[in-house]
Amino acid sequence: MEKFSELIRIRRSMRKFTEEELNQDEVVALLRAALISPSSKGVRPWEFVVVDNKELLQQLAHCKEHGAELVEGVPLAVVVLADPTQSDVWVEDASVATTMMLLQAEDLGLGACWVQIRNRTMADGKPAEEMVRAILHIPAHLRVLSIVAVGHKGMERKPFNEDRLQWEKVHINTFDAPEE
């Protein structure tokens, strides 16, 4: 990728993947991006569970009522965790790491999708995090933010249409909302 502005324009969530496995260099690049992501005060409260086992991916695909099904068809998922006892902004730090992996995937020509786990539920109303925690044997002190599903793109997506940019949501110096 030549320019960051092009990378963010073409990066789109991918929900269909080929069966082609990722190579070791691709996996290392994704994890490197997460590990060098900035965090508040340099605490780096995040942890990552790399999942390529088909049975585990299938189980993770059922961790919430909607939106996790795609995990069953990916060659790799990275579960993003963080320790809230290390940082009061663990959500933000883990979110930045998740975003860095999404951008790195696109830069490598791969597809990726953020699967939200925190504050999501299974069909029975139980927290999705509980199921992910049980499947992957995650220690109690860690929280689950997301799953990054990654693979070779199984479909083409058009770049973001910049005509849809909502410039009216940008305010200079003050908000100056109209009086109601």
Side-chain angles (χ1 to χ4, degrees), residues 125-143:
K126 290 181 183 173
E129 182 175 9
E130 285 181 14
M131 185 171 183
V132 174
R133 182 181 304 287
I135 292 167
L136 301 178
H137 309 286
I138 295 169
H141 71 284
L142 296 174
R143 296 288 313 273

Side-chain angles (χ1 to χ4, degrees), residues 47-85:
E47 303 266 348
F48 308 97
V49 179
V50 180
V51 182
D52 62 0
N53 176 286
K54 298 296 181 200
E55 185 178 312
L56 292 175
L57 291 168
Q58 183 179 23
Q59 290 175 43
L60 289 171
H62 301 286
C63 71
K64 65 180 192 167
E65 189 169 10
H66 302 290
E69 304 84 12
L70 66 106
V71 174
E72 189 168 357
V74 298
L76 185 86
V78 180
V79 180
V80 181
L81 318 167
D83 185 344
T85 66

Side-chain angles (χ1 to χ4, degrees), residues 3-19:
K3 289 188 172 189
F4 182 73
S5 58
E6 180 65 8
L7 177 67
I8 61 173
R9 190 179 74 78
I10 65 171
R11 199 224 67 81
R12 304 295 304 274
S13 292
M14 181 61 54
R15 291 177 177 84
K16 292 187 180 183
F17 303 90
T18 69
E19 293 183 16

